[in-house]
Amino acid sequence: MKTFAVVIVSLIAFSGIGHAADITAPVREIMEATRSNWADNNSDWTDIFDASRLDHLYSRDFVARYQAAAQFPAVDDDGISPFDYDVIVNGQDACPLEDLTMAAAPVVDGVAEVTVRFRKSACSDAPDAKDYTTVHFLVVDEGGKPVIDDIVTENIETQARDSLKATMALIAKGQ
């Protein structure tokens, strides 16, 4: 099994919390599930948007957008997810994740950005197999605990940053 290496650049406290809140905690849970999903161990697929995770890992706004988008499932077979791809690896296929790192930036305007980098195609022979995927988790304080308010991926083709909340809003509009 590949080593799950996590580099935490900074752990910071949100304003209003009397003790240091580990802003990386919800991101670590999502990344551990994603790492497990793509591991070679044939474990059951972990839904990072199941009801229990929506309840404690994501902001109220994120959950509302997810629930609105879920009214338009991407695949008729499962009738649940509004996505037909893994939103973390930003694709339908991946290898076991390698060289995973995590870094938390200081809070700016109530939002901490936790940047995660990993190689998702290292087992492939494709020319871009050694490229890194970068995902930005925007973490906010809600009710005294850190929660994910958005997941932003870097689009390699367009060099743009794609917000999952914006994608869910489009899905909810039937687009």
Side-chain angles (χ1 to χ4, degrees):
M1 182 186 300
K2 303 290 187 242
T3 303
F4 183 54
V6 177
V7 177
I8 300 176
V9 173
S10 64
L11 294 178
I12 53 181
F14 283 98
S15 58
I17 299 177
H19 61 281
D22 181 358
I23 62 158
T24 64
V27 177
R28 277 196 325 270
E29 185 171 333
I30 295 304
M31 290 311 302
E32 181 57 31
T34 302
R35 186 202 54 76
S36 179
N37 285 344
W38 294 104
D40 284 332
N41 60 11
N42 295 323
S43 65
D44 289 335
W45 188 267
T46 301
D47 181 2
I48 64 169
F49 300 115
D50 70 10
S52 70
R53 284 186 179 80
L54 284 173
D55 184 49
H56 78 278
L57 295 178
Y58 300 97
S59 71
R60 288 184 292 274
D61 185 52
F62 186 99
V63 171
R65 290 177 191 236
Y66 179 84
Q67 291 171 338
Q71 301 302 308
F72 301 90
V75 180
D76 290 334
D77 294 344
D78 72 11
I80 299 169
S81 177
F83 312 112
D84 63 351
Y85 64 100
D86 182 312
V87 300
I88 304 300
V89 301
N90 202 20
Q92 293 178 330
D93 296 311
C95 301
L97 305 185
E98 291 187 2
D99 302 328
L100 190 142
T101 62
M102 183 180 307
V107 175
V108 176
D109 295 329
V111 179
E113 185 171 302
V114 178
T115 302
V116 177
R117 292 185 72 229
F118 53 87
R119 292 186 311 144
K120 69 177 182 181
S121 302
C123 67
S124 168
D125 291 331
D128 61 352
K130 303 299 181 193
D131 290 352
Y132 280 87
T133 296
T134 303
V135 182
H136 306 274
F137 292 83
L138 305 183
V139 179
V140 299
D141 174 64
E142 214 171 71
K145 68 177 187 170
V147 291
I148 298 166
D149 189 52
D150 203 357
I151 300 171
V152 180
T153 54
E154 291 183 6
N155 187 318
I156 295 171
E157 294 168 6
T158 65
Q159 301 301 309
R161 289 174 56 140
D162 297 326
S163 161
L164 189 57
K165 283 174 61 171
T167 299
M168 290 186 295
L170 290 174
I171 292 170
K173 290 179 182 177
Q175 300 177 351

